[in-house]
Amino acid sequence: MITPFIPFARRDYSEAEFSEVADVIRSGWLTTGPRAAQFERDFAQYVQADFALAVNSCTAGLHLALVALGIGPGDEVITTPLTFCATVNVILQVGATPVLADIGPDLNIDPAAIRRAITSRTKALIPVHLGGLPCNMQEIWKIADQYGLKVIEDAAHAAGSLIAGVPVGGGRSDAVAFSFYATKNLSTGEGGMVTMRDAELERRMRSLCLHGISRDAWNRYTEKGNWYYEVVECGFKYNMSDIMAALGLIQLRKLEQMTGLRIEIARRYNEAFGDMREIQLPPDRDGDRHCYHLYILRLNLEQLGIDRARFIDEMRNRGIGCSVHFIPIPLHPYYQTKLDPRTDTPCEKPMRDPCASALSEYPRLVSLPLYSNMTDDEVGRVIDAVREIVAEFRVHSPVAVCELA
Ligand SMILES: *Cc1c(COP(=O)(O)O)cnc(C)c1O
């Protein structure tokens, strides 16, 4: 019997998504319009935020937030080494200096490392909720208050996560950016959302999101619209189309249910792997809700006897796709040259923190498939494969060897 491959990620779409997209196409209104506006209202309500701005990626949202908050050359922005390149690229793109602060035992940025990284030039913090486990935001907000820093959350993994009962996006940060990229737990193919608390920031970001055009730009082709508009600043082209928004509206309605299914699969994995000293379960925190966008195992390499690459190969041989989140920022060649991409001049060395924890955790990290429409059978196959590989390759302890001898 041929066993079908279990991919690392799979979007959870059904008839509702298909027919909504068809309706948008039939309606004739493809770009930012009524559906994007509705998606913004519904998303803001879901995360309990004052404002939400629909954008075409999380990267765009992070970039807009930095520009609108006035972060630029000479400023330092502290973020984590264990993230996707987008988090660091946007800091470089506004001409600021990324400063990495190492991770803690939960794989998220360590508030103590943030304190050590702060200088008189520090202007903002970009914590990343890795895999959907919220950072220790109480502590991060305290640091921000103490030093007068802006906080922009990279919540690319955290739609559906809660911090002390409040959804990520509804907390005290200046801006929170979500990703709806194809593989994310709420997916519109490409897309993102930024939530905010400040009306002036929202106005500024909305203008920058569409070329810096003054007002009602996307109304100008309708019956009520006016041909006249003014460009008041040099903005970007970051708006979300109504096709993406239609998918987002349906996905958002299913988010609580999809998150519940993810948490249940994570619970099954934890139960199945909890007794194996060759692997370490993903971190969690009491009082917060981990949405399990990712299920990140850590291999105890001394007990396991094979490296991470071999583990992933063995999983693939059993028809299961895995991934790694993330290759730490300092390991990519570009960040080793530390160039300011706008001027090609060397910027301040961003890696004052050697990021020892991120570098030592990296070889142990493996993300297993976990998504809301995984079947019981698929979950069972992942569990069996991991247990089988561990049983096959585990290093037998000296005690056991003595007993044999
Ligand atoms: C996916 C991702 C992003 C970028 O999201 P896009 O919507 O593709 O721009 C940013 N940060 C992290 C941590 C991500 O995983």
Side-chain angles (χ1 to χ4, degrees):
M1 197 189 80
I2 299 163
T3 44
F5 188 73
I6 302 174
F8 172 68
R10 185 199 289 146
R11 87 281 180 284
D12 187 348
Y13 290 174
S14 50
E15 248 347 281
E17 280 87 350
F18 304 145
S19 65
E20 274 295 307
V21 169
D23 284 352
V24 177
I25 297 168
R26 279 193 207 98
S27 81
W29 191 274
L30 303 182
T31 181
T32 310
R35 273 153 180 107
Q38 182 71 43
F39 188 27
E40 288 175 345
R41 284 194 295 275
D42 288 5
F43 197 88
Q45 190 184 22
Y46 172 77
V47 302
Q48 302 170 27
D50 295 312
F51 304 100
L53 173 65
V55 286
N56 56 24
S57 72
C58 175
T59 309
L62 293 169
H63 187 208
L64 279 180
L66 285 168
V67 174
L69 288 167
I71 313 287
D75 297 337
E76 292 179 355
V77 179
I78 298 175
T79 191
T80 170
L82 202 59
T83 186
F84 186 57
C85 58
T87 323
V88 173
N89 284 349
V90 290
I91 300 170
L92 289 166
Q93 278 153 3
V94 298
T97 302
V99 173
L100 302 177
D102 205 0
I103 58 170
D106 64 356
L107 300 177
N108 280 329
I109 195 166
D110 178 2
I114 294 178
R115 286 187 186 276
R116 288 195 296 273
I118 289 173
T119 71
S120 59
R121 291 186 296 276
T122 307
K123 288 286 152 53
L125 309 175
I126 309 187
V128 179
H129 308 299
L130 189 74
L133 175 68
C135 294
N136 183 348
M137 290 308 297
Q138 311 302 345
E139 202 50 39
I140 290 171
W141 286 324
K142 203 185 294 171
I143 295 171
D145 287 345
Q146 192 182 338
Y147 293 92
L149 307 176
K150 304 293 185 192
V151 181
I152 303 166
E153 293 171 48
D154 179 336
H157 302 174
S161 295
L162 306 178
I163 299 171
V166 178
V168 167
R172 292 178 42 213
S173 297
D174 296 276
V176 183
F178 296 85
S179 174
F180 308 139
Y181 179 70
T183 58
K184 299 286 157 66
N185 59 330
L186 189 166
S187 140
T188 64
E190 298 284 353
M193 188 74 77
V194 200
T195 61
M196 296 134 290
R197 299 189 302 151
D198 181 71
E200 178 51 27
L201 185 66
E202 190 259 353
R203 193 202 56 74
R204 187 76 206 294
M205 284 175 67
R206 197 171 287 279
S207 159
L208 285 167
C209 183
L210 198 70
H211 302 301
I213 286 172
S214 57
R215 63 178 185 89
D216 282 352
W218 44 71
N219 244 337
R220 68 187 193 276
Y221 302 116
T222 66
E223 224 175 300
K224 288 181 290 243
N226 189 322
W227 60 268
Y228 186 75
Y229 61 89
E230 285 175 348
V231 175
V232 294
E233 61 188 323
C234 180
F236 308 94
K237 184 64 168 71
Y238 284 165
N239 57 304
M240 176 185 276
S241 80
D242 260 22
I243 301 175
M244 292 143 103
L247 287 172
L249 280 165
I250 306 289
Q251 290 268 291
L252 181 61
R253 253 179 259 156
K254 305 199 308 203
L255 183 59
E256 275 301 304
Q257 189 211 347
M258 293 193 297
T259 305
L261 291 165
R262 282 178 178 277
I263 291 170
E264 177 55 25
I265 295 168
R267 199 194 54 73
R268 280 185 66 187
Y269 283 166
N270 285 344
E271 210 175 85
F273 308 141
D275 65 335
M276 309 182 92
R277 57 190 199 99
E278 294 79 8
I279 49 187
Q280 182 180 341
L281 300 183
D284 207 340
R285 188 182 303 104
D286 283 344
D288 292 344
R289 181 168 88 180
H290 189 329
C291 74
Y292 284 100
H293 166 56
L294 299 174
Y295 186 89
I296 302 178
L297 272 186
R298 279 181 270 184
L299 307 177
N300 290 329
L301 295 169
E302 264 154 42
Q303 277 96 32
L304 189 58
I306 52 170
D307 65 8
R308 186 249 319 269
R310 178 74 189 276
F311 182 90
I312 291 175
D313 283 347
E314 291 292 334
M315 290 293 281
R316 190 183 301 110
N317 293 343
R318 288 164 176 80
I320 296 162
C322 293
S323 192
V324 175
H325 298 87
F326 284 97
I327 301 163
I329 293 296
L331 296 183
H332 292 289
Y334 180 75
Y335 307 109
Q336 288 166 8
T337 68
K338 307 169 202 84
L339 290 181
D340 178 336
R342 299 173 320 149
T343 58
D344 260 12
T345 54
C347 60
E348 169 103 15
K349 190 170 185 285
M351 280 161 262
R352 287 189 292 250
D353 186 329
C355 298
S357 298
L359 295 177
S360 72
E361 292 292 351
Y362 165 59
R364 309 173 55 206
L365 305 176
V366 181
S367 304
L368 298 186
L370 191 165
Y371 28 91
S372 43
N373 56 3
M374 263 179 112
T375 64
D376 278 353
D377 183 55
E378 288 173 324
V379 175
R381 274 182 56 200
V382 173
I383 289 172
D384 290 347
V386 170
R387 294 194 61 94
E388 210 178 279
I389 294 165
V390 169
E392 187 175 339
F393 296 102
R394 67 161 51 109
V395 176
H396 292 283
S397 65
V399 178
V401 173
C402 287
E403 278 166 4
L404 282 176

